[in-house]
C-alpha cells in the first residue's frame, strides 16, 4: 500500500490547515489509519488515529483542536488542524495498517509533509 500525503505548509499561530492522505495499490483491507508527527530532535509521536468503523483517538496535546476523518470508499484519511501553535511544527506522516492481497499484515507510511506554525 502506498500513501500520498498533502496539505502541509506555513501558517500563523491560531490558524488552520488540513492534511490529506490517499492510499493506493493492492490490498485486501485498510484497518486503522492515523497521523504521526516528528519535530526536530524529538521522537515520532501519534497525533490521531481512526479505526475502519470511525472510532477516533487523539494525543492530549491536540484534543479539541484537531479532527481526524476518513473516507473508506476513497481510501483517504484527513486531519483538520485548528488553533495551531508553534509547538505543532513538525513533519506529519500518515499511516495505515491492514491486510495485503495474500492476507499478510502490512503497515505503511506516507512520505511526510511539513507543517510550520510561525508568525
Amino acid at each position: 500500500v502506498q500513501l500520498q500525503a498533502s496539505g502541509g505548509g506555513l501558517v500563523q499561530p491560531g490558524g488552520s490547515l488540513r492534511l490529506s492522505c490517499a492510499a493506493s495499490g493492492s490490498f485486501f483491507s485498510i484497518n486503522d489509519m492515523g497521523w504521526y508527527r516528528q519535530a526536530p530532535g524529538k521522537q515520532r509521536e501519534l497525533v490521531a488515529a481512526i479505526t475502519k468503523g470511525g472510532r477516533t483517538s487523539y494525543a492530549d496535546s491536540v484534543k479539541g483542536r484537531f479532527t481526524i476523518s476518513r473516507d473508506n470508499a476513497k481510501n483517504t484519511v484527513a486531519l483538520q488542524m485548528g488553533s495551531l501553535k508553534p509547538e505543532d511544527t513538525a513533519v506529519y506522516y500518515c499511516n495505515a495498517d491492514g491486510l495485503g492481497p495474500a492476507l499478510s499484515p502490512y503497515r505503511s507510511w506516507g512520505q511526510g509533509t511539513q507543517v510550520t506554525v510561525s508568525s
Side-chain angles (χ1 to χ4, degrees):
V1 175
Q2 293 79 48
L3 299 176
Q4 181 68 44
S6 61
L10 173 64
V11 63
Q12 292 186 342
S16 300
L17 274 178
R18 182 178 177 84
L19 305 182
S20 298
C21 180
S24 62
S26 299
F27 49 86
F28 179 78
S29 69
I30 299 177
N31 298 333
D32 294 347
M33 302 185 82
W35 290 93
Y36 287 70
R37 68 186 180 187
Q38 187 167 19
K42 295 187 177 181
Q43 289 189 331
R44 190 174 296 189
E45 63 174 356
L46 176 65
V47 176
I50 185 167
T51 67
K52 190 172 185 177
R55 188 171 70 247
T56 59
S57 58
Y58 297 92
D60 287 344
S61 59
V62 306
K63 282 181 181 177
R65 301 189 297 120
F66 291 10
T67 301
I68 189 171
S69 60
R70 66 187 283 175
D71 185 329
N72 290 333
K74 296 181 179 179
N75 298 320
T76 59
V77 61
L79 186 69
Q80 180 67 47
M81 305 185 293
S83 301
L84 283 161
K85 304 175 182 180
E87 51 263 43
D88 294 317
T89 295
V91 178
Y92 284 69
Y93 299 88
C94 58
N95 162 273
D97 62 57
L99 298 176
L103 302 185
S104 57
Y106 68 83
R107 189 171 203 198
S108 294
W109 293 89
Q111 83 282 14
T113 184
Q114 176 70 46
V115 172
T116 302
V117 185
S118 175
S119 55

